[in-house]
Short mmCIF file of all heavy atoms in Angstrom, two decimals:
data_model
loop_
_atom_site.label_atom_id
_atom_site.label_comp_id
_atom_site.label_asym_id
_atom_site.label_seq_id
_atom_site.Cartn_x
_atom_site.Cartn_y
_atom_site.Cartn_z
N GLN A 45 -35.98 -40.55 16.86
CA GLN A 45 -35.60 -40.45 18.27
C GLN A 45 -36.42 -41.48 19.01
O GLN A 45 -37.65 -41.51 18.89
CB GLN A 45 -35.88 -39.03 18.79
CG GLN A 45 -35.26 -38.74 20.15
CD GLN A 45 -36.26 -38.76 21.29
OE1 GLN A 45 -37.46 -38.99 21.08
NE2 GLN A 45 -35.78 -38.53 22.49
N ASN A 79 -33.78 -41.45 23.88
CA ASN A 79 -34.30 -40.69 25.00
C ASN A 79 -33.44 -40.99 26.24
O ASN A 79 -32.65 -41.93 26.22
CB ASN A 79 -35.76 -41.14 25.25
CG ASN A 79 -36.64 -39.99 25.65
OD1 ASN A 79 -36.41 -38.85 25.25
ND2 ASN A 79 -37.65 -40.27 26.45
N PRO A 80 -33.59 -40.21 27.31
CA PRO A 80 -32.81 -40.48 28.52
C PRO A 80 -32.91 -41.93 29.01
O PRO A 80 -33.96 -42.56 28.92
CB PRO A 80 -33.39 -39.51 29.53
CG PRO A 80 -33.80 -38.35 28.70
CD PRO A 80 -34.34 -38.96 27.43
N ALA A 81 -31.80 -42.40 29.52
CA ALA A 81 -31.71 -43.74 30.12
C ALA A 81 -31.98 -43.61 31.62
O ALA A 81 -32.14 -42.50 32.14
CB ALA A 81 -30.32 -44.30 29.88
N THR A 118 -31.03 -38.38 25.28
CA THR A 118 -31.55 -37.06 25.66
C THR A 118 -32.94 -36.80 25.09
O THR A 118 -33.29 -37.30 24.01
CB THR A 118 -30.61 -35.93 25.20
OG1 THR A 118 -31.13 -34.68 25.67
CG2 THR A 118 -30.44 -35.88 23.68
N CYS A 119 -33.71 -36.03 25.83
CA CYS A 119 -35.03 -35.60 25.37
C CYS A 119 -34.94 -34.27 24.61
O CYS A 119 -35.95 -33.76 24.15
CB CYS A 119 -35.98 -35.49 26.54
SG CYS A 119 -35.30 -34.50 27.89
N THR A 120 -33.73 -33.70 24.50
CA THR A 120 -33.56 -32.49 23.69
C THR A 120 -32.54 -32.78 22.58
O THR A 120 -31.50 -32.14 22.51
CB THR A 120 -33.09 -31.29 24.55
OG1 THR A 120 -31.88 -31.65 25.24
CG2 THR A 120 -34.13 -30.89 25.56
N GLU A 138 -40.18 -39.11 22.07
CA GLU A 138 -40.33 -38.37 23.34
C GLU A 138 -41.34 -37.24 23.13
O GLU A 138 -41.17 -36.39 22.25
CB GLU A 138 -38.94 -37.86 23.76
CG GLU A 138 -38.93 -36.64 24.64
CD GLU A 138 -39.71 -36.77 25.93
OE1 GLU A 138 -39.82 -37.90 26.47
OE2 GLU A 138 -40.22 -35.75 26.39
N SER A 139 -42.36 -37.21 23.98
CA SER A 139 -43.48 -36.30 23.72
C SER A 139 -43.07 -34.83 23.69
O SER A 139 -43.54 -34.06 22.85
CB SER A 139 -44.59 -36.53 24.76
OG SER A 139 -44.13 -36.19 26.05
N SER A 140 -42.18 -34.41 24.59
CA SER A 140 -41.78 -33.00 24.61
C SER A 140 -40.99 -32.65 23.35
O SER A 140 -41.14 -31.55 22.79
CB SER A 140 -40.94 -32.69 25.85
OG SER A 140 -39.69 -33.36 25.80
N ALA A 141 -40.16 -33.58 22.90
CA ALA A 141 -39.34 -33.34 21.72
C ALA A 141 -40.20 -33.35 20.45
O ALA A 141 -39.96 -32.58 19.52
CB ALA A 141 -38.24 -34.39 21.63
N LYS A 233 -39.10 -25.04 25.30
CA LYS A 233 -38.92 -26.49 25.56
C LYS A 233 -39.69 -26.88 26.83
O LYS A 233 -40.26 -27.97 26.89
CB LYS A 233 -37.46 -26.92 25.56
CG LYS A 233 -36.60 -26.62 26.77
CD LYS A 233 -35.20 -27.24 26.59
CE LYS A 233 -34.17 -26.64 27.53
NZ LYS A 233 -34.35 -26.96 28.94
N ALA A 237 -42.93 -29.53 26.85
CA ALA A 237 -42.96 -30.69 27.75
C ALA A 237 -44.26 -30.71 28.54
O ALA A 237 -44.90 -31.75 28.71
CB ALA A 237 -41.76 -30.64 28.69
N SER A 238 -44.67 -29.55 29.00
CA SER A 238 -45.87 -29.46 29.84
C SER A 238 -47.14 -29.71 29.02
O SER A 238 -48.01 -30.50 29.41
CB SER A 238 -45.89 -28.07 30.48
OG SER A 238 -47.03 -27.92 31.24
N THR A 241 -47.38 -33.32 28.15
CA THR A 241 -47.63 -34.18 29.31
C THR A 241 -49.08 -34.09 29.77
O THR A 241 -49.74 -35.10 30.01
CB THR A 241 -46.71 -33.77 30.48
OG1 THR A 241 -45.37 -34.01 30.07
CG2 THR A 241 -47.01 -34.56 31.74
N SER A 293 -34.19 -30.70 41.45
CA SER A 293 -33.69 -31.08 40.13
C SER A 293 -33.99 -30.00 39.09
O SER A 293 -35.08 -29.44 39.07
CB SER A 293 -34.27 -32.42 39.68
OG SER A 293 -33.65 -32.82 38.48
N LEU A 294 -33.02 -29.75 38.24
CA LEU A 294 -33.19 -28.92 37.04
C LEU A 294 -32.80 -29.76 35.84
O LEU A 294 -31.93 -30.61 35.93
CB LEU A 294 -32.27 -27.69 37.11
CG LEU A 294 -32.72 -26.54 38.00
CD1 LEU A 294 -31.60 -25.49 38.11
CD2 LEU A 294 -34.00 -25.87 37.50
N GLY A 295 -33.47 -29.49 34.72
CA GLY A 295 -33.09 -30.20 33.50
C GLY A 295 -34.18 -31.11 32.97
O GLY A 295 -33.90 -32.16 32.42
N CYS A 296 -35.43 -30.69 33.13
CA CYS A 296 -36.56 -31.40 32.54
C CYS A 296 -37.36 -30.38 31.72
O CYS A 296 -38.03 -29.55 32.31
CB CYS A 296 -37.46 -32.03 33.59
SG CYS A 296 -38.98 -32.76 32.89
N PRO A 297 -37.26 -30.44 30.38
CA PRO A 297 -36.35 -31.22 29.55
C PRO A 297 -34.88 -30.88 29.80
O PRO A 297 -34.57 -29.85 30.42
CB PRO A 297 -36.75 -30.82 28.12
CG PRO A 297 -38.13 -30.28 28.21
CD PRO A 297 -38.22 -29.65 29.57
N HIS A 298 -34.01 -31.72 29.29
CA HIS A 298 -32.57 -31.56 29.50
C HIS A 298 -32.11 -30.12 29.27
O HIS A 298 -32.57 -29.44 28.35
CB HIS A 298 -31.81 -32.49 28.54
CG HIS A 298 -31.63 -33.88 29.10
ND1 HIS A 298 -31.09 -34.91 28.38
CD2 HIS A 298 -31.87 -34.38 30.34
CE1 HIS A 298 -31.01 -36.00 29.14
NE2 HIS A 298 -31.51 -35.70 30.33
N LEU A 299 -31.17 -29.70 30.11
CA LEU A 299 -30.70 -28.31 30.08
C LEU A 299 -29.98 -27.96 28.78
O LEU A 299 -29.26 -28.78 28.22
CB LEU A 299 -29.70 -28.07 31.21
CG LEU A 299 -30.21 -28.02 32.64
CD1 LEU A 299 -29.09 -27.53 33.56
CD2 LEU A 299 -31.43 -27.14 32.80
N THR A 323 -29.67 -32.27 35.13
CA THR A 323 -29.69 -33.29 34.08
C THR A 323 -29.58 -32.68 32.68
O THR A 323 -30.12 -31.61 32.41
CB THR A 323 -30.96 -34.18 34.20
OG1 THR A 323 -32.12 -33.40 33.99
CG2 THR A 323 -31.04 -34.84 35.56
N MET A 324 -28.85 -33.41 31.83
CA MET A 324 -28.52 -32.87 30.50
C MET A 324 -28.06 -34.00 29.59
O MET A 324 -27.78 -35.11 30.06
CB MET A 324 -27.39 -31.85 30.63
CG MET A 324 -26.08 -32.50 31.00
SD MET A 324 -24.96 -31.42 31.86
CE MET A 324 -25.78 -31.27 33.44
N THR A 352 -29.66 -38.98 31.76
CA THR A 352 -30.82 -39.46 32.51
C THR A 352 -31.64 -38.28 33.01
O THR A 352 -31.39 -37.13 32.64
CB THR A 352 -30.35 -40.35 33.68
OG1 THR A 352 -31.48 -40.97 34.27
CG2 THR A 352 -29.58 -39.56 34.74
N CYS A 353 -32.64 -38.55 33.84
CA CYS A 353 -33.40 -37.47 34.45
C CYS A 353 -34.10 -37.98 35.71
O CYS A 353 -34.10 -39.18 35.98
CB CYS A 353 -34.41 -36.85 33.48
SG CYS A 353 -35.90 -37.84 33.23
N CYS A 354 -34.71 -37.07 36.44
CA CYS A 354 -35.32 -37.43 37.72
C CYS A 354 -36.61 -38.22 37.54
O CYS A 354 -37.17 -38.72 38.51
CB CYS A 354 -35.58 -36.17 38.55
SG CYS A 354 -36.83 -35.08 37.84
N VAL A 355 -37.07 -38.36 36.30
CA VAL A 355 -38.30 -39.13 36.06
C VAL A 355 -37.99 -40.56 35.62
O VAL A 355 -38.61 -41.50 36.08
CB VAL A 355 -39.18 -38.41 35.01
CG1 VAL A 355 -40.32 -39.31 34.54
CG2 VAL A 355 -39.72 -37.11 35.59
N VAL A 356 -37.01 -40.72 34.74
CA VAL A 356 -36.76 -42.08 34.22
C VAL A 356 -35.78 -42.88 35.08
O VAL A 356 -35.65 -44.09 34.91
CB VAL A 356 -36.28 -42.06 32.74
CG1 VAL A 356 -37.35 -41.48 31.83
CG2 VAL A 356 -34.97 -41.34 32.58
N ALA A 357 -35.06 -42.23 35.98
CA ALA A 357 -34.16 -42.97 36.87
C ALA A 357 -34.98 -43.72 37.93
O ALA A 357 -36.07 -43.27 38.31
CB ALA A 357 -33.18 -42.01 37.54
N SER A 370 -39.97 -27.44 36.51
CA SER A 370 -40.63 -28.13 35.40
C SER A 370 -42.01 -28.67 35.76
O SER A 370 -42.14 -29.52 36.65
CB SER A 370 -39.73 -29.30 34.95
OG SER A 370 -40.44 -30.19 34.13
N LYS A 372 -43.66 -30.65 33.88
CA LYS A 372 -43.66 -32.07 33.51
C LYS A 372 -43.05 -32.92 34.63
O LYS A 372 -43.57 -33.97 34.98
CB LYS A 372 -42.88 -32.29 32.20
CG LYS A 372 -42.76 -33.78 31.86
CD LYS A 372 -42.15 -34.04 30.50
CE LYS A 372 -42.07 -35.56 30.25
NZ LYS A 372 -41.62 -35.89 28.89
N ALA A 373 -41.95 -32.45 35.18
CA ALA A 373 -41.31 -33.21 36.28
C ALA A 373 -42.26 -33.33 37.46
O ALA A 373 -42.31 -34.37 38.12
CB ALA A 373 -40.00 -32.56 36.68
N TYR A 376 -44.82 -36.19 36.80
CA TYR A 376 -44.31 -37.56 36.95
C TYR A 376 -43.76 -37.83 38.35
O TYR A 376 -43.74 -38.98 38.79
CB TYR A 376 -43.27 -37.88 35.87
CG TYR A 376 -43.93 -38.14 34.54
CD1 TYR A 376 -43.89 -37.21 33.52
CD2 TYR A 376 -44.64 -39.32 34.32
CE1 TYR A 376 -44.53 -37.45 32.30
CE2 TYR A 376 -45.28 -39.57 33.12
CZ TYR A 376 -45.22 -38.63 32.11
OH TYR A 376 -45.85 -38.86 30.91
FE1 F3S B 1 -36.82 -35.20 29.50
FE2 F3S B 1 -37.05 -36.71 31.59
FE3 F3S B 1 -38.30 -34.42 31.49
S1 F3S B 1 -37.11 -37.39 29.52
S2 F3S B 1 -38.73 -34.07 29.35
S3 F3S B 1 -36.09 -34.73 31.52
S4 F3S B 1 -39.15 -36.32 32.20
#
Side-chain angles (χ1 to χ4, degrees):
Q45 192 256 0
N79 217 30
T118 183
C119 51
T120 56
E138 155 57 30
S139 64
S140 67
K233 78 176 162 68
S238 178
T241 296
S293 187
L294 282 172
C296 174
H298 273 174
L299 289 190
T323 63
M324 70 206 71
T352 189
C353 78
C354 66
V355 169
V356 298
S370 165
K372 175 173 180 174
Y376 284 106

